[in-house]
Amino acid sequence: MSEFKTVRGMRDFLPKEAQALRYVESKARKVAELYGFGEIVTPIVESYDLLSAKSGDEVRSRMFAFKDLGDRDIALRPEFTASVARLVATTLRNEPRPLRLFSVGSVYRYDEPQKGRYREFWQSNFELMGSSRPEADAEIILLTDSLMKTVGLKSYVFKIGHVGVIRGILSKEKLDEKKQNEIMQLMDHLQYDDALKVVQDAEASETCVKVLRELVNLKGDRIFEVMNKIKECVKDYESATTAAENLQEILKLVTESGCRTHVTVDAGFARGLEYYTGIIFEVTVPELDIALGGGGRYDRLIELFGGNPTSAVGVAHGIDRIMLAMQEQKVTWKTNGTRKVVVVPVRETLKIDALKIAQVLRDAGIVVEVDVMGRKMAKALEDADRRGMDYAIIIGEKELKEDAVVVRNLKKREQSTVKIEKVIENLQA
Ligand code: AMP
C-alpha cells in the first residue's frame, strides 16, 4: 500500500510550528481586544451562493466548492468577509453602529502551492462597519501596524492606494463597471500596458490615457509630495480628486497620530477583489515578495448581501506569511517560560505515587510529564535531558517513607532530597 500523504497544498503543523501559529493568533487576539473588536466565530462551510456573491471571477474560480449529502452547493470559506457581511445583513442588522468584528481561523483557496502560498492558510480578520469617516480607515491601518510590531517584525512597509482615483477617471469616460474591473484586474497584476490598451480600445479620450499613464507612475515614500502630484494629475476629474483627498486625509491621520511605520503611496495600486470602493493597502517585508496582509474600504458590500447600506473597512492578515517573515527576520519569542518536569518512579510498583505527585504539581500549574515508557532510571534521565526537560522528580521507596522525593536539576546535574510539601516551592524558586 502506498503511504498516505497530505492533500496537495495542505500542511501538517508539528508542535513547534503549531506553537508559532498559535502565538501569532494570540497576538492578533490581543490587538482585537486593545482596539475593541469582538470576536465572532463563523462556519468554515458556507453556501456557495453567499461566498461567490461578491467575489470576482478570480476568487470564485479558486474556491473549494462541492455538494453536501443533501445536494446543497457549499464551499469552504476563501476569506471571512462574506460571513461577516451575512451576519451584518441579518442577525446584526439592528445593532448600533459601529460594529467592530474580529475573526481568526483557516481559509481555503485553490492557489498554486509555493512558498507562502497554500491552499489552507490562516487569517486574522478585522471589520469595522458603519463609519465612512477616514478615522475608521486609519484605525484599520493602525491596528495592522500594531500587529506587525507586536509579533516582533523589525521592518515592514505599508503600500497604500485608493481605487476611487482610477475608477473616478474611468467613470467620467463612461467605462462601465465590468470594463473597469477588467482594467483594475490587469493593474493588480502590474500589467499596466495591457490595462491602458483596454482603456484605449474602449474609446476613452486621449487625455484620459495620458493622465492614467502618468498616474500609474506616481508612487513613493515621500507620501505628501506624491499626493500633491496625484491631485495635480487628476485635477480635471472631480470624483478622482475627492478620492485623492480622502486618501491624503487618511495618510495624515495615520502619520500624525504618531505611527512611525514606513508607508508608500502608489496611485496605480489595485487589489484583485472587485468590491473595494475606497483606500486599499497591503503590508510587505523586504525579504518576501508576497503581502503579509491587505485590506481596504468596501462601502457597498453589505447592501449586496441584502443589508442596510453600511460603510465598511477591513483587513485580513496572513498568519502563515507573518510566521515566514518572523523566520526571515530572525524574530525570537518567548514561550510561556514554565519549567518542564518529568516524574520517574524507580520501580514499577511506585507508578501510582508518580501519577499522584504529578497531579499535585499540575494543580499548582507546573508542566509535568510522567514517564510512561517504563525505562530504567539512567535511560529515563538521558531521554528527559535530550528532550530539554528542566527537572526530574525521582520517586523512590526510601524517600517516600520520609514523605520526600529526589529533585534532580537536569541542566545543572545536581540533585537533592526534598519533602513533598516543599517540592512546588523548590521548583518555582
Ligand atoms: P486577501 O484576502 O487576498 O487580501 O488576502 C489577505 C492576506 O491573506 C494576504 O495578504 C496574505 O497574507 C494571505 N494570503 C492570501 N492568499 C494566501 C495563500 N494562498 N497562502 C497563504 N496566505 C495567503
Side-chain angles (χ1 to χ4, degrees):
M1 199 171 83
S2 64
E3 268 182 23
F4 287 121
K5 288 191 288 199
T6 54
V7 171
R8 183 165 157 77
M10 305 287 164
R11 294 155 297 153
D12 296 313
F13 285 70
L14 299 183
K16 273 216 164 69
E17 294 143 3
Q19 201 178 31
L21 172 75
R22 299 303 177 210
Y23 173 76
V24 178
E25 212 177 271
S26 73
K27 293 292 179 186
R29 248 192 206 102
K30 186 75 204 161
V31 168
E33 206 179 304
L34 285 173
Y35 282 77
F37 283 67
E39 180 168 354
I40 50 171
V41 178
T42 55
I44 290 180
V45 173
E46 294 269 15
S47 79
Y48 177 80
D49 288 347
L50 172 92
L51 295 175
S52 60
K54 54 112 206 186
S55 43
D57 287 341
E58 224 174 275
V59 172
R60 204 175 299 135
S61 64
R62 289 186 284 131
M63 269 200 290
F64 278 85
F66 46 95
K67 273 193 191 293
D68 72 4
L69 296 179
D71 209 31
R72 298 174 194 90
D73 287 310
I74 57 175
L76 305 184
R77 63 184 176 205
E79 35 126 62
F80 286 98
T81 309
S83 307
V84 181
R86 171 177 56 70
L87 272 179
V88 174
T90 56
T91 317
L92 302 176
R93 194 181 191 99
N94 297 319
E95 283 293 301
R97 289 357 186 190
L99 289 167
R100 296 169 187 256
L101 302 171
F102 162 73
S103 312
V104 61
S106 55
V107 297
Y108 301 82
R109 294 184 197 170
Y110 208 80
D111 279 338
E112 210 33 51
Q114 50 187 278
K115 184 177 179 187
R117 195 177 298 282
Y118 316 104
R119 290 184 176 171
E120 178 184 53
F121 57 98
W122 273 256
Q123 284 187 337
S124 64
N125 188 81
F126 293 74
E127 313 277 354
L128 176 36
M129 307 265 177
S131 167
S132 58
R133 300 172 67 87
E135 44 275 38
D137 304 72
E139 283 265 90
I140 291 291
I141 294 172
L142 290 171
L143 74 81
T144 299
D145 185 45
S146 294
L147 177 61
M148 299 301 149
K149 212 180 291 165
T150 168
V151 298
L153 289 179
K154 294 166 187 121
S155 113
Y156 54 92
V157 187
F158 276 89
K159 176 159 93 170
I160 309 186
H162 195 301
V163 296
V165 178
I166 289 169
R167 286 200 190 263
I169 296 169
L170 298 176
S171 297
K172 192 168 174 203
E173 297 286 329
K174 306 263 182 308
L175 268 68
D176 64 19
E177 201 152 320
K178 194 155 165 270
K179 212 25 112 202
Q180 289 185 22
N181 291 343
E182 186 186 340
I183 294 161
M184 302 300 272
Q185 199 75 251
L186 288 167
M187 289 195 177
D188 183 31
H189 293 136
L190 307 179
Q191 294 167 279
Y192 292 111
D193 288 336
D194 296 337
L196 290 173
K197 173 120 194 350
V198 176
V199 179
Q200 246 159 354
D201 291 349
E203 292 175 4
S205 68
E206 287 273 314
T207 332
C208 165
V209 178
K210 190 172 148 279
V211 167
L212 284 176
R213 196 179 298 284
E214 195 183 325
L215 201 59
V216 297
N217 287 310
L218 293 178
K219 57 180 103 170
D221 55 6
R222 301 167 83 95
I223 52 178
F224 294 105
E225 273 174 36
V226 178
M227 278 318 307
N228 286 339
K229 287 186 189 152
I230 293 173
K231 285 200 300 183
E232 176 59 28
C233 180
V234 303
K235 65 178 186 305
D236 297 327
Y237 293 89
E238 201 184 315
S239 84
T241 301
T242 310
E245 273 162 1
N246 176 243
L247 174 57
Q248 187 174 26
E249 174 67 14
I250 294 162
L251 291 171
K252 201 164 152 236
L253 291 173
V254 169
T255 51
E256 290 185 6
S257 68
C259 171
R260 300 263 164 276
T261 299
H262 190 179
V263 176
T264 65
V265 169
D266 186 340
F269 178 34
R271 297 195 73 227
L273 303 172
E274 287 164 12
Y275 55 86
Y276 289 113
T277 55
I279 60 147
I280 44 172
F281 68 93
E282 266 178 14
V283 191
T284 51
V285 286
E287 295 85 357
L288 299 170
D289 59 0
I290 42 179
L292 304 194
R297 174 168 284 285
Y298 33 88
D299 284 344
R300 288 201 298 268
L301 192 71
I302 303 301
E303 274 171 273
L304 212 106
F305 284 87
N308 301 323
T310 307
S311 308
V313 54
V315 61
H317 309 115
I319 293 182
D320 313 73
R321 293 189 185 172
I322 293 175
M323 285 158 62
L324 267 183
M326 287 165 68
Q327 262 174 26
E328 295 281 343
Q329 297 192 358
K330 308 209 169 12
V331 172
T332 51
W333 43 277
K334 281 207 198 94
T335 47
N336 54 14
T338 43
R339 293 161 182 181
K340 291 192 288 182
V341 176
V342 61
V343 178
V344 194
V346 293
R347 82 179 83 255
E348 184 76 15
T349 50
L350 297 172
K351 63 188 178 194
I352 294 178
D353 298 284
L355 288 166
K356 259 200 222 157
I357 288 175
Q359 285 313 82
V360 172
L361 298 180
R362 287 172 185 144
D363 286 345
I366 296 169
V367 177
V368 182
E369 291 179 26
V370 175
D371 177 75
V372 291
M373 302 301 282
R375 288 186 174 120
K376 292 253 174 333
M377 187 53 62
K379 281 264 178 277
L381 293 180
E382 201 179 295
D383 173 70
D385 205 26
R386 186 176 56 78
R387 291 185 304 115
M389 310 294 289
D390 299 290
Y391 291 91
I393 295 188
I394 301 163
I395 317 284
E397 257 152 4
K398 191 168 104 268
E399 288 81 10
L400 269 189
K401 282 206 183 96
E402 328 245 290
D403 287 325
V405 291
V406 172
V407 175
R408 180 174 175 84
N409 183 326
L410 294 165
K411 298 272 154 48
K412 292 191 184 156
R413 298 178 183 280
E414 296 166 356
Q415 64 183 50
S416 57
T417 304
V418 180
K419 287 274 183 209
I420 291 174
E421 72 218 40
K422 296 272 179 205
V423 170
I424 294 169
E425 226 173 277
N426 195 279
L427 291 176
Q428 286 168 338

